[in-house]
Amino acid sequence: MNKIAIFGKKGSIAKFDISSKNPVWVGNIENKYVPSSIAQINDHLLVYSNTTFTGKSMIHCFLEGTGELLWCHLTKDICNSSYPFAPTMLDDYLYYMPSSKEVAKLSLKSGNLMFRRQFEKSMFKAYALMIISDSVFLISKKDALKVDKESGNVTPYPEISEILNLNEITASLGNGTSYISSISLAYPQSGDSGIIATGGGDAGGGGE
C-alpha cells in the first residue's frame, strides 16, 4: 500500500508518494504565498496560504486526485480578514460566516460566491453556523435563525430553543462539519509557521 501525504511549501503543494519517493502531482500557488493549512473535503483540497511580509492571505481549491486548480480567492474578497474561514458543506456548497453578522454560500466546484448576506443581530449575541439534516441554521446562546439556502435570507426559528436550553450548550456537531477541523483549529494567526500535513485516502467526507 502506497504511503501518500500532501505537503505545502512556498509557492506550491504536492501530493507525495513516500513509498516511491516521487511526487504524484505538484500544484502551484502564487510565488510569495506560503501554505499554512490544508483540509480535504471529499475529493477537494482547500489550501490556506499567506505572505510573510504583507499579511495577505489566499484560499485555493485543488482536486485531490489530479492536482488540478479549480479556483482561488484572496481571503479578503470572501471573508473578513480578522474572521476565520471555517466552512460547512451541503450539496457541494460551502456555507460559512464571513463576519459575525453575515452568512455566505460558496460553490465548492466553481468558487462562485452565491450570496453573502448581512443579518440583524444584537451586539450581545454571537452566532455559529450549523447544518442540521438539509437545513442551515445560525445558533446563539439565546435563539436560533434559519438561513434560506437560495437567497441567504435569515428568519427566526424558535423550534430549536423550545426543545433545548441554548444557554447550556457548550459544543455541537452538525452535518458537514467533521472535515473542517484542520482549518478552524489551525487557522493561521499572525506569525504562524506551523506545518499541517493531510494524508491521502479516507480523509474528509464530513456529514456522511
Side-chain angles (χ1 to χ4, degrees):
M1 182 176 180
N2 293 344
K3 295 181 174 65
I4 300 293
I6 295 170
F7 299 96
K9 66 178 183 179
K10 186 175 182 180
S12 68
I13 67 166
K15 182 176 182 178
F16 205 86
D17 186 340
I18 298 175
S19 303
S20 66
K21 302 179 182 179
N22 292 311
V24 179
W25 53 255
V26 176
N28 294 318
I29 62 176
E30 282 67 11
N31 289 333
K32 296 181 180 179
Y33 284 80
V34 179
S36 53
S37 181
I38 302 172
Q40 183 169 348
I41 307 173
N42 296 335
D43 57 349
H44 293 69
L45 298 174
L46 289 181
V47 181
Y48 189 101
S49 60
N50 53 18
T51 58
T52 304
F53 299 108
T54 67
K56 291 182 179 179
S57 58
M58 294 191 73
I59 297 170
H60 293 73
C61 181
F62 294 87
L63 280 179
E64 188 272 337
T66 64
E68 178 187 355
L69 175 64
L70 298 180
W71 53 265
C72 63
H73 286 293
L74 284 170
T75 308
K76 68 179 181 63
D77 292 336
I78 60 172
C79 188
N80 285 9
S81 58
S82 60
Y83 211 78
F85 179 71
T88 59
M89 188 177 75
L90 178 64
D91 298 330
D92 292 327
Y93 291 98
L94 301 178
Y95 293 85
Y96 65 99
M97 296 183 68
S99 70
S100 63
K101 54 184 179 180
E102 291 180 289
V103 62
K105 176 183 178 180
L106 184 77
S107 170
L108 178 62
K109 294 184 179 296
S110 69
N112 291 337
L113 188 63
M114 312 308 292
F115 63 72
R116 179 175 178 175
R117 191 169 297 277
Q118 192 173 48
F119 61 92
E120 292 186 11
K121 88 171 194 67
S122 163
M123 63 181 296
F124 301 107
K125 293 180 182 178
Y127 287 93
L129 189 146
M130 186 174 187
I131 294 175
I132 302 175
S133 186
D134 61 350
S135 298
V136 181
F137 295 94
L138 300 171
I139 299 177
S140 75
K141 288 285 189 179
K142 298 181 180 296
D143 63 356
L145 307 172
K146 187 174 183 179
V147 179
D148 186 290
K149 293 183 294 185
E150 298 301 321
S151 67
N153 291 332
V154 172
T155 54
Y157 194 83
E159 288 89 337
I160 292 179
S161 57
E162 289 172 358
I163 60 174
L164 294 173
N165 183 345
L166 294 175
N167 193 49
E168 295 179 348
I169 302 300
T170 59
S172 62
L173 178 67
N175 296 354
T177 58
S178 61
Y179 63 80
I180 67 162
S181 60
S182 62
I183 287 184
S184 59
L185 297 180
Y187 184 81
Q189 305 297 319
S190 178
D192 253 2
S193 57
I195 297 175
I196 302 295
T198 301
D202 59 358
E208 293 296 316

